[in-house]
Amino acid sequence: MAKETILTGIRSNSDLQIGNYFGAMLPMVDMANHHAGEYQINMFVPDLHSFTTPINHRELYKRTINNVRIFVAAGLDINNPNLYLYRQSHISAHSELTWILDCFTGFGEMSRMTQFKDKSAKLKEDRISVGLFNYPVLMAADILLYGAAYVPVGEDQTQHLEFARDIAERMNRQFSDVFPDGLFVVPQPVSKQHAFFAKDQDLRIRDLLSPATKMSKSDETGNGVIFLSDDPEAAAKKIMRAETDSLALIPDSLDYQKQPGISNLLQILALLEHTAVNETLRDWSGKTSYGELKSAVAEKVRAFLEEFQARLSDISDQEVEDKLHASEEAMRAVADKTLHRVQQAVGLRSIDEADS
């Protein structure tokens, strides 16, 4: 492809919350809208990844469509011709390339993956799926099929990106006699990824009732999490019940050690007001009424959800599916071409066979 490709994933099975919205979705949408034209933007839904751990499979398809709608409501311009939006499972080359890459991957490499160790340790299931163990190989296929140079990843997935680079370089060396210019485009290293995306690693919206931990869907009660699907009034009440502290003084800087609850509320308020945290702190530092701060945050949360949910209701499933189908047709041709080259390299297709 003439333009370098930026590839990123849209989660498919989670009930998204404001931590996802401000910490991941908005930066992703801004990146896509800003770079589309200069780069090709591939935003894919990793729906095959979504059940490496147990989920409700009956809800998966509906949630996939709804989560894409949420990204559109957040400002993603799906009419941009340089933006491709597609589902992993609708392009069979993802699965086919994964098997081939599996056969060039060591068991020890996968065993050392920190995320597998962490996730498998937290699962209450007796059986840990091979899919969870094998997750980085499928992720490598997601990247390598499209020659993606840039892939924004969080700290928990830097190992996976480095593996994608390793397996690409390994196969480029092994099959250099067949494809001397390289079988795969090797993604940029993590340091260059972070520099390119100017990643802000500090934004972590915390659980309202346990502010020492980040806001997460794993909170089984949901009382400490503001979901994008929450009733606005119910969400405001969650803010009013948020844990604070006994110091009775709003600080002049965020302090997640001494005052995590108050710091979290100030961070949320700044995000909802679209202001720098320092500006919010100037307005509130020195005040002693936590109730006043909670009320201000609760009102902003209520207004945000009302406005966001109104935008979401205007986006139809059909316009999302139309974009998905068009992108899938275009990306299937790209992925199949890469897969065919790999099949030729490993001996599954004749070297003289033209691209199908």
Side-chain angles (χ1 to χ4, degrees), residues 12 20 65 87 166 168 182 230 236 241 283 290 296 314 322 325:
S12 58
N20 304 134
I65 300 300
R87 290 161 291 192
D166 290 344
D230 275 350
R241 293 194 296 267
D283 293 338
Y290 288 173
D314 289 336
D322 287 346
H325 291 315

Side-chain angles (χ1 to χ4, degrees), residues 319-335:
E319 63 182 299
V320 165
E321 293 201 10
D322 287 346
K323 177 65 174 181
L324 288 169
H325 291 315
S327 294
E328 284 157 4
E329 182 176 357
M331 290 298 97
R332 193 173 293 118
V334 176

Side-chain angles (χ1 to χ4, degrees), residues 206-211 215 223-224 226 235-245 260-262 264-265 268 290-291 294 297:
R206 309 300 182 93
D207 188 283
L208 297 173
L209 300 183
S210 302
M215 189 174 286
N223 293 329
I226 304 296
K237 289 178 182 178
K238 289 182 183 181
I239 295 292
M240 297 305 296
R241 293 194 296 267
E243 180 181 297
T244 52
D245 54 62
I262 288 297
N264 192 39
L265 291 173
I268 293 171
Y290 288 173
K294 284 185 174 183
V297 178

Side-chain angles (χ1 to χ4, degrees), residues 131-179:
L132 180 61
F133 182 77
N134 196 42
Y135 177 105
V137 185
L138 178 55
M139 181 172 165
D142 299 333
I143 296 167
L144 300 179
L145 279 170
Y146 305 98
Y150 294 102
V151 187
V153 294
E155 290 299 322
D156 59 340
Q157 291 204 344
T158 55
Q159 269 189 312
H160 298 173
L161 182 57
E162 289 296 351
F163 168 73
R165 284 172 46 80
D166 290 344
I167 192 69
E169 290 173 342
R170 180 180 309 156
M171 295 187 72
N172 283 354
R173 287 192 302 270
Q174 182 161 346
F175 298 105
S176 61
D177 59 327
V178 184
F179 292 101

Side-chain angles (χ1 to χ4, degrees), residues 232-233 235-242 244 250 262 265-266 268-269 272-273 284 289-303:
E233 291 296 332
K237 289 178 182 178
K238 289 182 183 181
I239 295 292
M240 297 305 296
R241 293 194 296 267
T244 52
I250 296 176
I262 288 297
L265 291 173
L266 290 164
I268 293 171
L269 183 58
L272 292 172
E273 290 181 331
W284 288 92
S289 174
Y290 288 173
E292 184 183 357
L293 175 62
K294 284 185 174 183
S295 294
V297 178
E299 180 55 38
K300 288 291 182 181
V301 166
R302 181 191 296 110

Side-chain angles (χ1 to χ4, degrees), residues 201-257:
Q201 302 291 346
D202 297 326
L203 178 58
R204 293 288 188 275
I205 295 181
R206 309 300 182 93
D207 188 283
L208 297 173
L209 300 183
S210 302
T213 60
K214 72 176 183 178
M215 189 174 286
S216 170
K217 67 182 179 65
S218 60
D219 171 10
E220 294 181 0
T221 68
N223 293 329
V225 182
I226 304 296
F227 293 104
L228 295 177
S229 58
D230 275 350
D231 174 79
E233 291 296 332
K237 289 178 182 178
K238 289 182 183 181
I239 295 292
M240 297 305 296
R241 293 194 296 267
E243 180 181 297
T244 52
D245 54 62
S246 59
L247 297 179
L249 182 67
I250 296 176
D252 58 7
S253 62
L254 300 187
D255 188 338
Y256 285 104
Q257 297 300 314

